[in-house]
Structure formats: structure tokens, C-alpha cells
Amino acid sequence: MTTNKSQETIATTSRRSIRLGEKLIGAAEEHAAYVREWTKVAHVTDNAEHPLREQAYLLPSSLDELRRKRTGYYSLTGGGSIFGNGWADYAHSLLAGWYGHVSLLSSVNPPAAKGRLAVLFQQSLKQRSIITTSLQPIVRKNADLPIVQHTKEGITLHGEQTFDSDALFADELLVFIREQGEAAPASAVLIPVQSAGLELRPNGVQSESLSAGVQVSYEQVAIPRERILHDNDAPELRRLLGHHQVKAIADYQWVSRQLDALELVTGTAFALAELTGEVKELHIQGDLGEVIQNVETLKALIHASEIGADASLTGIVLPSSVPLEAARKAGGLYYAHAVQVLQRIGAGIFLRDQHLLQQRELGEKPTILQLAWRLSGSAEAAKRKLHELHAFGDPIVQSSELFRQYPVQVLRERYKQFWHGIDARSKANPKEAQL
């Protein structure tokens, strides 16, 4: 590596080593926003014995254990930490669901991949590694250099991928390899953050929050075969990731997190409406009533998924798929609507008193107005709303998944009963049928 190159980048030798733009940061502790986040989560990230790190790998064997999965890393500091977007929880639960049902996936996972998955999962569980993931494509850094190169030992990865900033606190990355322009990933690998050639570059500047995310740069990162979970077969990987038994716990934890986030925005909307006097306005009362309805609907869908929970063939208790899919589809829409209501309530004061929106000192407890702005008016809020709506792609595509899973025969039978009833009445009273 040349001297100039070493001044521009720093290879990750520990999870504290990062790079800010083109400026060398010797250690993450020098990054102010990182330090603020670290103070919130250090009791978990720096303690392998913390209960959340064990629970992340839990495969429920009872309904009570399933309900334990309603919380996770996202709950740290009331949902206000770097883990608030839910990717670390999703990664652990997805990997656990994959591992727990690998024996049922003979048509999807080849025997060698099954063995690798079992070994990797047990290793990560033993170390209680913090894992996160991203569904963003990998962008080429060099048009002449392919993203993936296969070798005798495994594959070599080259390019850049956007992660949420929880990657700065992760031990391993669950990487789905999809090039920009491709519809679905073809490969999946589990990479230690300390891998040679892997670099983390926070977006934004030191004084800002880490909400802008992280660019993970792969500089010819060598991934040995034993860390390849699925290789070069997009249709099969799509089937695997869409398999209800694989993703059920991850989806369950995701919608539980969305309910938690929705309740925070709703509570803030009520508090701001009372503070500003908007709560007396009939149209604001109507808006808040709709938000309450959405909160209760999402609760009911999650509860229905628990009522219908059942053990899979491998003995893992999973939530019912149909209400769970409905909850995942509804959660993002409900969150976006709640943010719009909060914006409507605060619009006047947001425009009139901009100077009141910024916190004066780091670590200072925000006012109701500042919290409302952070949740609905800031750049971070806009990014969060898009995240909740589009984390898994186009909402229409998500609706099609619900269409595929729904037991439509029940509705068809209901239609037949109604139609046969009309037919019977028509034969009994022809004159009435003509009317």
C-alpha cells in the first residue's frame, strides 16, 4: 500500500477503526458522533454476557419465548440508539431462522452450505457476536473490476455497500451480494468486520449524528469458502429468504419494533397537540383518532400472529404467517401516516420558531418541540420514514407476498355460500328475483 493511499483509508483492524471521508481517523473514539452513540450502547456492545446478546440467537420453543423476541437491540435507550432501525435484530433472527430450519430446505441449500451454516451459527452464538445486515446493492468501485471473483479458496469481494450505522458496532456483517441493477442477491456471506480490506466510512461529519449511515468498502476482501452461506444462485436464494419458516421470527421482531416506533411518534403527537392547543381542533382530534386506530390495529395483528403461533417441524414456535405479513405491510404505512400527523400539528411552530428546534448542548434532554422536529421534520426523520416504508422494497411487491400467502379459499367458500343463497331464493320466488 502506498503512503498516499494509507493517508486516505484505514483498513479495519478492530471495530473501532473507521475512516471519515478522505480524512484519516485513527480510532473511532476520535469521532464525536460515534462517542455519543457508544455511551448509549457500550453496556451491551462491550459486554458479551449481556442478556440481549444471548437473546438475539434465541430460537423459541414456547409462546413465552416467542414473545421475548418482541424486544431486541432496537429497544436500547427507548429506541433512540444506533440500533433503532432494526437491522441488527433482523440479521440475527433471519440467520437463526435459517439455521433452525436448514433440515427442511433440501431443495434450496446444498449439503455443503448446510454444514457451513451450522458451524458459522454455532461459532457466532458461542462468541455472541453482534451481526447486522443490509439489503442495499453493492456498487462497483472500478468498472473493469467485477464485484465477485471466484477463487479456489472461496470468493473475493470488491465494491461499496451502504449499511446503517450500527455496522460500526458490529462484529460480523451478513452480506447479500447483489450488484446495482440486479433484482435480487445471488450470494450470501458472513464476514468479520475485522477482515483485511474491509473499511467503514461514516457519512456526514464528526459533530453530526450517525443517522446518515455508513459506506462499507470491500477492497479485495477474501472470503473463504467456509463463510459462504449461499453462492451464485439468485432464484434459490430468493426462495430461501422468502420462506416463511426462515423469516418468520425476523419479521415478527421487525413489526414489534415498528409498533414501538409508532407509539413513540403517536405519544409525541398527543403531547405536542396539548402543548400548542391544537388538541382542541376537531380536525386534529380526527387525525389523532386515526393514528390511535392504526396503533390498535397493528397491536391486534401482532397479537393474532401470536394466537396462531405453532411449532414448525423442527420444534421452533413461529408466529402465524398471514397476520404477520399484514402487520409488516401495515407497519410502514402507519408509521408514515403518524409522522404526517405530527408534521401537521407542529407545522406552525416549526416555521415560526426555528431557533427552538436545536438542542443547545450535547446530551441535553430534548424538549417536546425538539423531539417532534427530530421525529417528523428533520433530515433524519425523512430518512426514517423512507426506511420504514421501503426497507424491503416496493410496498406493492410486499402486498403481492401477502396475496401469495393468504388462504383465499376461505373467502371463496364465503362467496359460494352467498351466491348459492341468492340462487336458492331466486328459484323459490322468481318474481322477487326479477325485482
Side-chain angles (χ1 to χ4, degrees):
M1 183 178 291
T2 65
T3 303
N4 289 338
K5 181 66 174 178
S6 65
Q7 291 175 346
E8 294 176 355
T9 64
I10 179 169
T12 304
T13 55
S14 75
R15 84 167 175 238
R16 302 287 184 258
S17 299
I18 62 175
R19 177 167 69 99
L20 178 64
E22 298 303 316
K23 182 179 178 182
L24 181 66
I25 303 295
E29 285 78 357
E30 299 175 23
H31 192 286
Y34 179 96
V35 172
R36 290 198 297 274
E37 287 294 336
W38 180 78
T39 59
K40 298 178 186 178
V41 302
H43 64 291
V44 175
T45 60
D46 294 356
N47 177 16
E49 301 302 316
H50 193 280
L52 277 180
R53 295 183 66 162
E54 179 181 10
Q55 182 177 304
Y57 292 89
L58 176 66
L59 286 167
S61 59
S62 67
L63 183 57
D64 285 341
E65 286 191 351
L66 175 64
R67 286 176 172 148
R68 281 177 59 191
K69 297 296 287 187
R70 288 188 65 164
T71 190
Y73 291 116
Y74 78 82
S75 63
L76 293 173
T77 67
S81 79
I82 200 168
F83 294 105
N85 280 347
W87 285 121
D89 296 309
Y90 195 81
H92 287 92
S93 291
L94 185 65
L95 196 63
W98 191 346
Y99 164 77
H101 295 96
V102 70
S103 62
L104 306 178
L105 303 173
S106 58
S107 63
V108 180
N109 261 31
K114 290 181 184 181
R116 290 196 293 268
L117 173 62
V119 170
L120 284 174
F121 183 83
Q122 290 296 335
Q123 286 177 350
S124 297
L125 172 60
K126 183 178 180 179
Q127 298 166 3
R128 295 181 182 173
S129 300
I130 296 177
I131 303 171
T132 192
T133 191
S134 170
L135 299 183
Q136 296 297 315
I138 299 177
V139 179
R140 291 194 182 207
K141 298 176 68 175
N142 185 331
D144 299 325
L145 191 61
I147 287 174
V148 175
Q149 293 175 297
H150 285 80
T151 66
K152 289 189 296 184
E153 294 77 21
I155 62 175
T156 300
L157 196 58
H158 189 275
E160 288 186 330
Q161 188 175 23
T162 301
F163 273 72
D164 212 67
S165 294
D166 59 352
L168 294 170
F169 294 83
D171 301 300
E172 298 176 89
L173 303 180
L174 177 57
V175 177
F176 295 104
I177 301 175
R178 172 170 69 95
E179 189 166 354
Q180 196 167 30
E182 293 179 338
S187 303
V189 296
L190 192 62
I191 311 176
V193 173
Q194 296 182 5
S195 298
L198 193 152
E199 302 166 351
L200 304 173
R201 296 175 294 159
N203 297 322
V205 298
Q206 288 193 43
S207 60
E208 295 177 344
S209 72
L210 295 174
S211 62
V214 166
Q215 289 297 315
V216 176
S217 177
Y218 308 110
E219 293 278 0
Q220 297 293 74
V221 176
I223 303 168
R225 192 164 303 281
E226 57 266 24
R227 284 198 161 266
I228 300 175
L229 300 174
H230 195 91
D231 189 23
N232 202 29
D233 193 334
E236 290 298 309
L237 183 55
R238 182 173 182 175
R239 282 181 55 207
L240 187 150
L241 296 178
H243 196 291
H244 166 64
Q245 292 179 323
V246 170
K247 69 189 187 74
I249 301 174
D251 285 349
Y252 176 74
Q253 199 163 41
W254 185 270
V255 298
S256 298
R257 178 198 58 80
Q258 284 194 315
L259 174 61
D260 188 77
L262 177 60
E263 288 178 331
L264 174 60
V265 175
T266 302
T268 305
F270 270 87
L272 187 62
E274 292 170 359
L275 178 68
T276 60
E278 293 283 329
V279 73
K280 299 175 183 177
E281 299 292 335
L282 185 60
H283 68 283
I284 294 298
Q285 293 177 6
D287 286 341
L288 291 172
E290 289 182 0
V291 175
I292 292 171
Q293 177 179 310
N294 291 343
V295 169
E296 293 303 314
T297 299
L298 193 55
K299 283 182 181 179
L301 288 170
I302 295 173
H303 186 52
S305 77
E306 294 170 345
I307 292 174
D310 198 8
S312 67
L313 292 176
T314 59
I316 299 169
V317 174
L318 302 177
S320 179
S321 62
V322 172
L324 184 61
E325 281 294 332
R328 199 180 82 166
K329 177 66 171 64
L333 296 174
Y334 290 168
Y335 183 86
H337 179 254
V339 168
Q340 290 172 351
V341 170
L342 183 54
Q343 289 172 334
R344 196 171 303 146
I345 294 170
I349 195 168
F350 288 164
L351 293 172
R352 185 173 65 250
D353 299 313
Q354 283 280 323
H355 66 285
L356 298 177
L357 302 179
Q358 304 302 320
Q359 288 178 235
R360 298 288 182 247
E361 297 179 10
L362 294 178
E364 179 185 25
K365 184 178 180 180
T367 64
I368 292 174
L369 181 60
Q370 289 166 344
L371 179 58
W373 173 256
R374 184 190 303 172
L375 291 173
S376 68
S378 64
E380 182 179 347
K383 181 176 180 289
R384 178 63 178 267
K385 187 169 77 168
L386 289 174
H387 165 74
E388 300 300 345
L389 278 170
H390 300 287
F392 296 98
D394 191 328
I396 296 177
V397 176
Q398 295 180 48
S399 293
S400 68
E401 180 67 22
L402 182 59
F403 165 78
R404 286 192 294 270
Q405 290 198 26
Y406 194 79
V408 72
Q409 189 60 34
V410 176
L411 298 182
R412 286 177 177 164
E413 289 300 323
R414 179 67 184 88
Y415 159 76
K416 288 177 181 178
Q417 292 171 10
F418 179 77
W419 185 253
H420 290 328
I422 291 177
D423 190 45
R425 290 194 300 272
S426 298
K427 291 177 180 178
N429 193 342
K431 290 184 178 180
E432 182 179 331
Q434 290 175 0
L435 296 175

